[in-house]
Amino acid sequence: KMHPELAITWHFIGHLQSNKTRPVAEHFDWVQTVDRLKIAQRLSEQRPADMPPLNVLIEVHISDEESKSGCQPADVPALAQAITLLPNLKLRGIMAIPAPSDTEEGKKAPLKEMHAIFVHLRDELNFDIDTLSMGMSADMAEAVECGSTMVRVGSAIFGPRDYTKKE
């Protein structure tokens, strides 16, 4: 059992295959990358009864990158509605990992689009959401300026990733 002063909130970020949902449902507090209903259903079914609902964010495919996962922007409201009906999940908002850009406007365009989707869900469709997770080390200033409530800053803390092969 963890000491209360050392309580950690665990966030799962990454593409989640349906056959890997059980350990995530059992051990995490948040899943930031729910991109389809099947994953949400499995997480809800596999969440232990003695744990609070799992906080989830819908991952939005905001940039046209083949390598990125996510729900298409037009499909977000329907997925959000379906998630709110699952008993062991709590929809908290949306997240995205926009494509990198060398220009300020290139960085801001997808961030502004994400903010518009978030506001539409919250203010027009009346979803009870509070989290817009976007922005990483390279674009966190632009993300905060565009309304992000949560940034992911691994490289700013730990340095850039080393993709070279280790011998």
Side-chain angles (χ1 to χ4, degrees):
K1 196 75 179 152
M2 220 184 308
H3 192 280
E5 290 177 25
L6 301 177
I8 295 172
T9 301
W10 292 98
H11 289 245
F12 180 87
I13 300 176
H15 182 68
L16 185 54
Q17 297 173 321
S18 58
N19 64 339
K20 305 274 174 44
T21 54
R22 183 171 301 279
V24 172
E26 292 174 349
H27 298 286
F28 284 82
D29 302 299
W30 287 70
V31 177
Q32 290 208 18
T33 48
V34 173
D35 61 354
R36 57 198 189 282
L37 183 57
K38 179 181 181 181
I39 295 296
Q41 289 169 328
R42 290 178 62 89
L43 289 168
S44 182
E45 290 162 8
Q46 295 167 342
R47 185 71 170 171
D50 63 342
M51 293 181 78
L54 184 61
N55 296 298
V56 298
L57 300 177
I58 295 172
E59 181 178 9
V60 182
H61 189 88
I62 204 69
S63 300
D64 229 4
E65 281 186 294
E66 299 251 336
S67 63
K68 297 285 190 324
S69 303
C71 178
Q72 291 301 316
D75 299 331
V76 171
L79 180 55
Q81 183 59 45
I83 288 172
T84 63
L85 301 176
L86 296 172
N88 298 313
L89 300 185
K90 168 73 175 129
L91 179 65
R92 296 293 299 270
I94 59 176
M95 76 83 75
I97 303 172
S101 175
D102 293 330
T103 69
E104 187 175 353
E105 193 43 48
K107 288 179 183 181
K108 283 187 177 179
L111 300 170
K112 288 176 181 176
E113 187 178 347
M114 281 293 292
H115 185 259
I117 294 167
F118 177 79
V119 168
H120 176 67
L121 290 171
R122 186 191 63 194
D123 298 351
E124 296 170 36
L125 299 180
N126 296 313
F127 284 97
D128 180 19
I129 57 174
D130 59 7
T131 304
L132 176 54
S133 176
M134 60 183 190
M136 299 196 304
S137 299
D139 63 354
M140 66 180 159
E142 292 85 357
V144 170
E145 188 180 323
C146 292
S148 178
T149 64
M150 183 181 294
V151 293
R152 303 172 302 273
V153 292
S155 298
I157 297 169
F158 300 109
R161 290 186 185 183
D162 181 0
Y163 291 101
T164 60
K165 258 196 173 347
K166 302 267 190 263
E167 295 295 326

